[in-house]
Amino acid sequence: MLKKNNISSDIKKKLVVLAAPQSPESEQFRRLRTNINFSSLAQNVQSLVITSAIAFEGKSWIAANLAVMYAREGKKVLLVDTDLRKPSAHKTFNIYNGWGMSGVLAGETKVETAINKTFIEHLDLLSGGPIPNNPSELLASKYMDNFMEYTKEKYDIVIYDSPPLLTVVDGQILTNKCDASLLVINSGRTDRQDALKAKEVIALSNGKLIGVILNNI
């Protein structure tokens, strides 16, 4: 159920599955959700990282809309902003970026305190939090492993919005830790060689690439 009075026009613009549920874009998100569900039957995908080769390919937009689509299916969903260098998910859902993920991984706050409910039923958000000095080390830490174990017990699916793979090592760490990865490629921006390099990075990290999303066709 949606709290319609709290949904601004700006939020609707970012969440196409709410603004235009019958649009071709929304239908593609339904198809994406269905394809992941079929993949989950064989691979038990409960933690999913959405990443890209470079910046500005639309991965955060896709992560947010996919999270909403899962919530509307009735799944209990947690969207986690793990782009600790440039967090943005809190802006999409108009939520205060308090302690967030960086505070949890630094041991400064409890997970339960940092997670926020959104205006969408079944969907929670953990924002990125204040930008730390050591994001890669935090994501590779035991705190991260403990966080992932805890959230898998509490949620049906956890979606991680990751930094670009070719920019920093953070995304590679996440592809190794998560059950599956989706690679976003922007048809008007991504260089072919960058896309191939990103695919190779996921393979080198022993990540499971279950699909590629071609954005901005």
Side-chain angles (χ1 to χ4, degrees):
M1 182 180 297
L2 304 180
K3 302 172 184 175
K4 294 183 179 180
N5 293 335
N6 295 334
I7 305 175
S8 67
S9 58
D10 184 54
I11 290 176
K12 285 184 177 181
K13 184 178 180 180
K14 295 174 182 176
L15 298 175
V16 65
V17 295
L18 293 183
Q22 303 305 319
S23 67
E25 291 91 345
S26 293
E27 187 59 33
Q28 289 304 314
F29 277 108
R30 291 188 186 92
R31 187 183 300 275
L32 176 60
R33 180 188 64 190
T34 299
N35 289 343
I36 296 171
N37 287 342
F38 281 135
S39 177
S40 296
L41 295 176
Q43 302 185 44
N44 189 29
V45 176
Q46 195 177 356
S47 58
L48 175 67
V49 58
I50 298 181
T51 188
S52 60
I54 58 176
F56 305 111
E57 296 193 76
K59 62 174 179 57
S60 296
W61 177 75
I62 287 173
N65 279 276
L66 181 60
V68 173
M69 191 61 77
Y70 263 112
R72 299 191 76 174
E73 188 183 37
K75 296 284 182 66
K76 191 174 182 182
V77 186
L78 176 63
L79 176 61
V80 184
D81 192 345
T82 46
D83 193 342
L84 303 184
R85 301 166 194 263
K86 294 182 179 180
S88 63
H90 62 285
K91 299 177 183 177
T92 300
F93 292 91
N94 195 25
I95 287 177
Y96 173 67
N97 187 29
W99 287 109
M101 189 61 169
S102 60
V104 171
L105 296 183
E108 297 172 348
T109 187
K110 294 182 178 180
V111 178
E112 301 92 329
T113 303
I115 290 177
N116 295 279
K117 291 188 177 297
T118 70
F119 55 84
I120 298 169
E121 189 176 11
H122 306 304
L123 176 58
D124 291 347
L125 171 69
L126 179 57
S127 65
I131 299 173
N133 295 323
N134 56 340
S136 300
E137 288 75 12
L138 290 178
L139 292 171
S141 69
K142 185 63 178 177
Y143 281 110
M144 183 63 179
D145 295 334
N146 293 339
F147 169 82
M148 296 183 78
E149 290 178 10
Y150 172 82
T151 52
K152 277 189 174 184
E153 294 177 356
K154 299 292 183 180
Y155 294 90
D156 296 315
I157 186 166
V158 184
I159 298 175
Y160 294 87
D161 179 5
S162 160
L165 289 167
L166 303 186
T167 305
V168 290
V169 74
D170 305 17
Q172 188 172 359
I173 294 170
L174 289 165
T175 59
N176 172 264
K177 290 179 177 290
C178 288
D179 297 331
S181 305
L182 284 174
L183 178 63
V184 178
I185 294 175
N186 192 309
S187 63
R189 179 176 176 83
T190 311
D191 180 79
R192 174 183 173 85
Q193 292 304 314
D194 285 342
L196 292 173
K197 288 178 184 177
K199 180 182 176 183
E200 183 179 354
V201 167
I202 294 174
L204 289 172
S205 67
N206 293 319
K208 295 180 181 178
L209 180 63
I210 61 170
V212 175
I213 300 172
L214 187 58
N215 189 28
N216 195 31
I217 297 178

